């Protein structure tokens, strides 16, 4: 518990054993709702953002009361217990085909919030898989097997999605691919408790730091003409709390040394060291058929490296629900 406010960093929400068969009883109705909403059958890997999120959510609540009750419990963990992440150890989808797993994860996300496109693409669901040597271009964290440093998703956007979820179709048998989470509230408190920490927090909240935004994302983000976004790293007046990705921050300071004062460098180094070596890191190996939902406005997340090429996750991002 924090001395600043009462919260629980990670809350586990389990489906009762009898409810694990929810897709058997509600899957057909969910798929019909999707057909009605989109006007035709849409494969799970090509689902676009809903035309009317609130209307789709209302239809899903009627068609899938068991899933709706479960997602209400997830929302309660975020809203009442102020969790930065919710872990679901088993969702009851292990025996389904991958297309049905995608549609089930989409329905769950649509009941919690408003699903968004994985820009620069126009589909909602992203398959997180190692492309290995098959790709000749640069790959993102979700397309390779390397360690992913701490970051917030879609940090280039003016207001990134509040949530993202990862559903594990097939976990890594090598023991790698562990999800890493830092609760942003704990992170700030830890900094303030360090020597020179309060001044570092002040600098991180006030100093402008440039970060280059990839060309494919610039039309969705508020960027300067040079393709850089200029913001503080720590913000509490507007989400997200932390705009951080180590390589982009250090690259931005190197390319724009006029922003890299000794004070800024020292504060950034303190934060980077705390993220890498500090206490209270949350390490969560989400099992096959498990799911984790993260509050992207509060948490920074990463991942350990892995060697099992069969590892397969589904990722969806979503905003607060529209009414």
């Amino acid at each position: 518990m924090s001395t600043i406010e009462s919260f629980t960093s990670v809350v586990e929400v389990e489906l009762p054993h009898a409810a694990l068969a929810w897709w058997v009883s509600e899957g057909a109705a969910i798929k019909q709702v999707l057909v009605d909403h989109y006007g035709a059958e849409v494969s799970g890997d090509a689902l676009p953002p809903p035309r009317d999120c609130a209307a789709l959510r209302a239809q899903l609540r009627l068609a899938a009361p068991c899933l709706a009750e479960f997602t209400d419990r997830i929302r309660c963990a975020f809203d009442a217990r102020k969790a930065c992440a919710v872990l679901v150890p088993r969702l009851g989808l292990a025996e389904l085909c991958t297309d049905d797993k995608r549609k089930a994860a989409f329905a769950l996300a649509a009941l919690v919030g408003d699903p968004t496109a994985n820009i620069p693409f126009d589909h909602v669901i992203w398959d997180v898989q190692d492309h290995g040597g098959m790709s000749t271009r640069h790959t993102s964290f979700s397309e390779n097997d390397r360690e992913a440093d701490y970051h917030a998703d879609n940090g280039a956007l003016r207001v990134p999605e509040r949530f993202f979820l990862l559903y594990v179709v097939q976990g890594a048998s090598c023991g790698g691919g562990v999800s890493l989470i830092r609760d942003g509230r704990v992170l700030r408190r830890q900094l303030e408790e360090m020597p020179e920490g309060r001044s570092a927090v002040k600098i991180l909240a006030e100093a402008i730091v440039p970060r280059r935004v990839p060309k494919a994302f610039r039309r969705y983000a508020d960027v300067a003409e040079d393709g850089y976004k200029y913001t503080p790293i720590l913000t509490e007046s507007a989400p997200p709390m932390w705009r951080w990705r180590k390589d982009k921050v250090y690259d931005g300071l190197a390319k724009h040394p006029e922003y890299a004062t000794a004070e800024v460098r020292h504060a950034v180094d303190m934060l980077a060291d705390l993220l890498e070596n500090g206490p209270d890191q949350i390490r969560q190996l989400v099992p096959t058929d498990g799911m984790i939902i993260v509050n992207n406005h509060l948490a920074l997340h990463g991942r350990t490296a892995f060697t099992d090429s069969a590892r397969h996750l589904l990722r969806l991002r979503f905003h607060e629900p529209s009414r």
Side-chain angles (χ1 to χ4, degrees):
M1 288 294 183
S2 168
T3 57
I4 301 171
E5 59 177 320
S6 178
F7 61 84
T8 306
S9 288
V10 178
V11 174
E12 185 171 313
V13 180
E14 290 191 79
L15 269 166
H17 183 76
L20 285 169
W22 64 272
W23 183 260
V24 174
S25 58
E26 299 180 349
I30 288 172
K31 290 197 283 188
Q32 185 59 54
V33 167
L34 298 182
V35 170
D36 293 344
H37 185 82
Y38 289 107
E41 177 75 21
V42 182
S43 63
D45 60 352
L47 283 163
R51 297 190 307 271
D52 184 336
C53 291
L56 176 60
R57 191 159 34 252
Q59 293 169 334
L60 286 171
R61 291 192 71 86
L62 291 174
C66 181
L67 180 60
E69 188 276 333
F70 181 59
T71 55
D72 286 346
R73 291 170 55 205
I74 291 173
R75 283 299 319 205
C76 183
F78 284 114
D79 297 339
R81 300 183 66 181
K82 300 180 182 178
C84 79
V86 168
L87 172 69
V88 179
R90 186 180 174 197
L91 201 52
L93 308 177
E95 303 304 317
L96 302 184
C97 67
T98 304
D99 189 70
D100 282 352
K101 289 177 180 178
R102 292 190 181 103
K103 290 175 179 175
F106 174 80
L108 188 150
L111 281 165
V112 178
D114 292 357
T116 61
N118 275 285
I119 59 174
F121 308 102
D122 60 0
H123 53 267
V124 170
I125 296 177
W126 185 268
D127 287 271
V128 179
Q129 294 175 292
D130 174 31
H131 289 185
M134 296 183 292
S135 178
T136 59
R137 61 183 177 83
H138 170 76
T139 56
S140 68
F141 293 145
S142 61
E143 298 173 310
N144 61 53
D145 59 2
R146 298 189 291 274
E147 179 182 3
D149 287 333
Y150 278 109
H151 63 284
D153 270 15
N154 269 355
L157 300 187
R158 186 179 65 82
V159 181
E161 294 89 345
R162 184 183 175 194
F163 301 106
F164 71 87
L165 72 75
L166 294 171
Y167 170 75
V168 183
V169 177
Q170 178 63 56
S173 61
C174 63
V178 177
S179 291
L180 307 175
I181 298 172
R182 291 282 191 184
D183 187 323
R185 299 161 295 189
V186 174
L187 194 62
R188 173 177 177 145
R189 186 184 69 210
Q190 290 171 336
L191 275 172
E192 291 179 331
E193 292 172 349
M194 296 169 63
E196 306 177 21
R198 287 189 178 274
S199 61
V201 166
K202 187 174 187 295
I203 291 167
L204 293 170
E206 295 178 357
I208 299 299
V209 175
R211 297 187 309 282
R212 185 177 180 276
V213 177
K215 288 183 179 179
F217 293 85
R218 290 177 191 172
R219 70 189 195 88
Y220 305 95
D222 181 18
V223 296
E225 290 184 3
D226 63 357
Y228 279 76
K229 188 175 183 71
Y230 296 83
T231 64
I233 290 173
L234 171 62
T235 310
E236 293 189 283
S237 59
M241 186 176 186
W242 295 94
R243 290 186 185 268
W244 173 263
R245 181 169 152 174
K246 182 179 178 180
D247 57 344
K248 299 299 184 185
V249 169
Y250 279 97
D251 286 350
L253 292 175
K255 295 290 176 57
H256 292 273
E258 65 273 23
Y259 291 91
T261 66
E263 293 79 12
V264 168
R265 283 278 187 183
H266 183 59
V268 167
D269 289 344
M270 286 184 68
L271 175 59
D273 182 69
L274 181 59
L275 284 167
E276 186 172 348
N277 302 306
D280 298 322
Q281 175 180 243
I282 300 164
R283 299 174 61 91
Q284 185 64 61
L285 182 60
V286 185
T288 296
D289 193 43
M291 180 182 70
I292 192 164
I293 304 177
V294 177
N295 184 336
N296 190 50
H297 287 180
L298 283 180
L300 293 173
H301 67 283
R303 182 198 67 215
T304 64
F306 61 94
T307 58
D308 182 4
S309 61
R311 181 181 184 268
H312 182 191
L313 280 64
L314 304 178
R315 186 190 72 193
L316 295 91
R317 298 189 183 114
F318 41 104
H319 284 294
E320 275 290 308
S322 53
R323 302 300 177 185

